[in-house]
Amino acid sequence: MRTAPSLAALALLGAVTLAGCGDDADAGEAPTWSAADTVLDASGLVWESGGTVHLGDGTTIETGEEVAGYVVAGDGVYLVAAAGSDATAGPVLHATPEDPGNPEDTGAVAAPDSLRVSPDGRYLAFLDPETGTQDEYGTPLGTAVVVDLVEGEEVVRSAAAMGDPGQDDLADLYEDAGAPEVLGLTDRAAYVAGPGAVLAYDLATGEPSEVAPSAADAWDDDWFLALSSPEARTSPGGAWTLAQPADGSPARLVPADGGKPVVTRAPYDVYELDSWLDDQTAVGGALDGQTDVLLGCTLPTGRCAPLPDVPAGARLPADRSGPRFPTVRP
């Protein structure tokens, strides 16, 4: 198996390539990114159903597509349309409130569950698992992409620490050492894990630095905890925060005054809290068989139930499935 490369080796691999430059990804027509004059407010409960994205302030954005994964970023929604149950990636589309039902094809390709956004909504990051250089077995090299949506340009397109298609069986490498993953963004850096290392890409310059040999080695690191969203995990009045126990037990609502946490209880085996609807209701997503359900967990009991007026099958944004909240050690 490959060991984590040094930064010098990463540089030789082409650690960073700005849009249209370098040789990390195969040459081709460059994606086109719109420059956003304003950045939408993505706070509060955001959900999608039937191709319509509902924002916390009541704004709706019609995508005109069956959505496989989406995020609210820049001046609209960036999404990957559903393209069959076996599809691992698809075109990145851009939908805005001003042009409902008519999304723009950016020309980029992304894995739908890899879409991530910086807390300020300016930067979009994702993994392109299809267009990179292929190994001898036809498996493409994973490519990390970061876009500045205010400027309308890619600041990172890089296959650093993703393997060597000339020497590696990439499918075997990604299965054994870990598939590439965008762990998340702060307002200053994008954190991407490859089988060779976890890299932090500076959003202003695109420059990388190695921060860990793997995501598993970074669970308690300050930068990993910084990927959580303080605004989302803290109730509007500041009296409660969300926390996810490291042992896999149910999420807890933790009082700011140091009192006893409230353990949430839901009628689902798999669920994850995401943010707050109001001072008494934390919200998140659950799986009811194969169906997504949005639920609310209320204080003081911690009991959870499906949210009223939100249909079964509604989906949270893709970037709300990452390491958003600090753990509570058992």
Side-chain angles (χ1 to χ4, degrees), residues 190-275:
Y191 293 85
V192 179
V198 179
L199 301 181
Y201 290 96
D202 186 291
L203 297 179
T205 67
E207 293 293 332
S209 59
E210 183 176 331
V211 293
S214 71
D217 295 305
W219 192 256
D220 292 317
D221 290 353
D222 289 343
W223 66 262
F224 188 89
L225 295 178
L227 298 182
S228 64
S229 171
E231 294 79 9
R233 72 172 184 262
T234 303
S235 63
W240 297 85
T241 59
L242 301 177
Q244 193 73 42
D247 62 359
S249 60
R252 302 176 187 180
L253 309 179
V254 183
D257 62 8
K260 184 178 180 180
V262 174
V263 178
T264 59
R265 294 175 289 169
Y268 308 102
D269 292 331
V270 179
Y271 70 99
E272 180 177 298
L273 297 185
D274 163 75
S275 56

Side-chain angles (χ1 to χ4, degrees), residues 164-189:
D164 184 344
Q167 299 183 19
D168 295 322
D169 178 338
L170 294 175
D172 181 66
L173 177 66
Y174 294 163
E175 181 178 355
D176 292 343
E181 181 181 7
V182 180
L183 298 177
L185 295 85
T186 66
D187 286 335
R188 302 178 67 180

Side-chain angles (χ1 to χ4, degrees), residues 126-206:
F126 57 87
L127 287 173
D128 174 350
E130 289 194 349
T131 66
T133 302
Q134 297 182 1
D135 65 13
E136 62 177 310
Y137 305 104
T139 302
L141 194 65
T143 303
V145 181
V146 182
V147 186
D148 181 342
L149 298 174
V150 171
E151 295 296 331
E153 62 183 15
E154 292 181 3
V155 294
V156 173
R157 180 170 284 271
S158 173
M162 298 295 187
D164 184 344
Q167 299 183 19
D168 295 322
D169 178 338
L170 294 175
D172 181 66
L173 177 66
Y174 294 163
E175 181 178 355
D176 292 343
E181 181 181 7
V182 180
L183 298 177
L185 295 85
T186 66
D187 286 335
R188 302 178 67 180
Y191 293 85
V192 179
V198 179
L199 301 181
Y201 290 96
D202 186 291
L203 297 179
T205 67

